[in-house]
Amino acid sequence: MTLPRPHRSDVFLASTGFVGGLVLWVLGVFNQGAKHAIIDTTWVVLLPLVVMTALEFLRRAMPRTVLLAGTVAVVADQFTRGSLATLLMFTDLVYAAVVYGPPSSARRVPVVTGSITVVVAIATLAWYREPWALLLGIMTGMVSFVPATTGAVVRNHREAADAARLRAEQTALLAEMDRREAVVAERSRMARELHDMVAGNLSAIAIHSTAALSLDDPATSREALGVIRENSVEGLAEMRRLISLLRDGGTDEPAPAPTLAGLAALVRQAAASGTASGLTFTLTAPPPDGELPAPVELAAYRIVQESLTNALKHADAGRVTVTVERADHALTVTVTSPYDQRAAGPRAPGAGAGLVGMRERVALLGGDFTAGPRSPAQDAGAGPREAGAGHTTWRVRAVLPVAEYDKEPET
């Protein structure tokens, strides 16, 4: 196994400890006198010093192994005259075992060293039966328990800092994800609004331009050009209002949101555009019972607007019926139009974006949306409001809940 390169701090500590131990040995400074040393030869003091110096290089790479070997070296040092440098380097090994070792070592080393300190204090006091014997226990605690406790405190602070940094990174990541989701949602909303605002005008322009090109009738062509100009002006006005809202620093006041009161004008405009296609339009929209919230009115208006646009593009000649009614704390919007399953394709270009937008609007309000063809059998019990009785129809139905707005405040 290849050992990692020692850290610069470890090299500095090892070099400083070894040089300090040599200076103390040259000066003849030892921890205990000759009569208390089992081995009185002074050069033997250097052996534990050299071992402890070598262990300092590995204090980060092998903290537990280094601590065990260092314990053997410091115990061996007690049989000689003893070196203060050896004791000081041992305290650093205890500290490193707690800071750089595995979590189990960080928990066990302070407990073990504290237990050893208590045992040494009690044993020396019982052996010598003198108060000064407690100093041996205190010295043992300063060499082992104090550095272990210091290492535990440092490790806890480091782990707390790492956890705080991780939480900050996760918070920043979540904020970035929320920002991206908000951007995507805003883009979808802008695309939906842009489609709803201009799709009807562009569809009318496409239909009437096709009629003007296919019919060699000056009166019909002039009428079609008039409708084209009207829808072009309205589409440009809607575009300018939307751009004014999006542009930073725009000074134009935003146009008020459409309401159900504008459905009649919307149907009249569709009727003018559908004359060339043989379509007639009927509106059944009694005044709603109570004031409706703005989001519900806007969604209902846009659903009718898009349904009429789709009828102009795709429906066969016949009657288009628009029904808006409120019942059971919900606003129900129904638009039916003639539908021919044998048709080869739409009369005007379309990619289905309108149905997607209507479905999204209803989902945002927590309502229910259905759209699709209905057979004569399904329309048999629908009542007189359903258009094209006896023929296959295309029905768009949206149920927009308004129950939360109908709750009266508690008294």
Side-chain angles (χ1 to χ4, degrees):
M1 181 180 64
T2 304
L3 296 176
R5 186 175 181 178
H7 194 272
R8 289 182 299 177
S9 300
D10 300 342
V11 175
F12 173 77
L13 291 174
S15 303
T16 303
F18 183 71
V19 172
L22 285 179
V23 171
L24 293 176
W25 178 71
V26 171
L27 297 177
V29 178
F30 303 104
N31 293 343
Q32 53 190 353
K35 64 178 180 178
H36 297 289
I38 298 177
I39 303 175
D40 190 23
T41 307
T42 57
W43 65 266
V44 180
V45 176
L46 299 179
L47 296 179
L49 178 65
V50 171
V51 173
M52 202 68 72
T53 301
L55 295 176
E56 282 283 0
F57 288 101
L58 305 174
R59 60 193 290 269
R60 296 173 190 262
M62 306 171 62
R64 289 193 296 185
T65 304
V66 163
L67 178 60
L68 294 176
T71 302
V72 175
V74 77
V75 170
D77 185 65
Q78 303 309 307
F79 292 97
T80 67
R81 299 284 298 274
S83 174
L84 180 61
T86 301
L87 288 178
L88 292 178
M89 285 191 288
F90 175 74
T91 61
D92 182 65
L93 296 184
V94 176
Y95 169 86
V98 176
V99 174
Y100 303 114
S104 58
S105 297
R107 294 190 301 267
R108 295 171 183 172
V109 172
V111 175
V112 173
T113 54
S115 302
I116 292 175
T117 300
V118 173
V119 170
V120 170
I122 295 176
T124 54
L125 183 62
W127 179 264
Y128 291 105
R129 299 183 182 275
E130 295 289 341
W132 60 264
L134 291 175
L135 294 177
L136 297 177
I138 295 175
M139 292 179 60
T140 302
M142 293 180 63
V143 173
S144 59
F145 180 67
V146 172
T149 305
T150 304
V153 172
V154 172
R155 182 173 182 133
N156 290 337
H157 280 292
R158 289 183 178 181
E159 291 178 349
D162 292 339
R165 188 185 308 108
L166 180 60
R167 286 195 298 269
E169 293 175 355
Q170 292 176 343
T171 302
L173 180 60
L174 291 176
E176 178 64 18
M177 294 175 62
D178 290 342
R179 186 192 68 82
R180 292 181 180 179
E181 291 179 358
V183 170
V184 172
E186 183 63 17
R187 286 179 177 175
S188 299
R189 188 188 69 82
M190 291 168 56
R192 186 167 56 247
E193 290 295 331
L194 180 61
H195 178 274
D196 293 344
M197 289 167 61
V198 303
N201 301 114
L202 293 179
S203 297
I205 292 173
I207 293 172
H208 284 274
S209 62
T210 301
L213 291 173
S214 60
L215 299 177
D216 189 13
D217 183 1
T220 303
S221 299
R222 184 176 183 83
E223 180 183 356
L225 290 175
V227 176
I228 289 173
R229 183 185 182 282
E230 180 183 354
N231 282 274
S232 300
V233 172
E234 291 181 2
L236 288 174
E238 295 284 356
M239 287 290 294
R240 280 194 294 268
R241 282 195 289 268
L242 181 59
I243 293 174
S244 177
L245 291 174
L246 296 178
R247 182 182 293 119
D248 293 335
T251 56
D252 295 341
E253 294 185 359
T259 62
L260 296 182
L263 289 183
L266 190 63
V267 172
R268 284 195 301 269
Q269 180 182 358
S273 301
T275 303
S277 303
L279 291 171
T280 59
F281 292 82
T282 303
L283 172 63
T284 304
D289 183 17
E291 184 179 355
L292 290 172
V296 175
E297 285 204 73
L298 176 60
Y301 182 91
R302 294 301 189 195
I303 289 171
V304 173
Q305 183 183 41
E306 181 58 31
S307 299
L308 296 178
T309 299
N310 289 341
L312 290 172
K313 292 192 296 183
H314 307 297
D316 287 334
R319 182 161 60 97
V320 178
T321 303
V322 179
T323 304
V324 180
E325 55 186 359
R326 181 175 179 179
D328 298 331
H329 305 292
L331 184 70
T332 303
V333 179
T334 306
V335 181
T336 58
S337 58
Y339 177 72
D340 187 1
Q341 294 176 321
R342 298 169 300 175
R347 298 181 181 179
L355 291 177
V356 174
M358 288 188 286
R359 194 178 304 276
E360 289 177 351
R361 285 186 182 278
V362 176
L364 288 174
L365 296 176
D368 180 67
F369 177 82
T370 57
R374 291 173 61 84
S375 65
Q378 292 175 305
D379 288 335
R385 287 196 178 100
E386 293 291 345
H391 302 279
T392 302
T393 61
W394 181 275
R395 189 184 75 167
V396 174
R397 186 173 185 270
V399 180
L400 306 175
V402 293
E404 61 270 22
Y405 301 98
D406 295 333
K407 294 178 181 178
E408 297 181 357
E410 297 181 358
T411 57

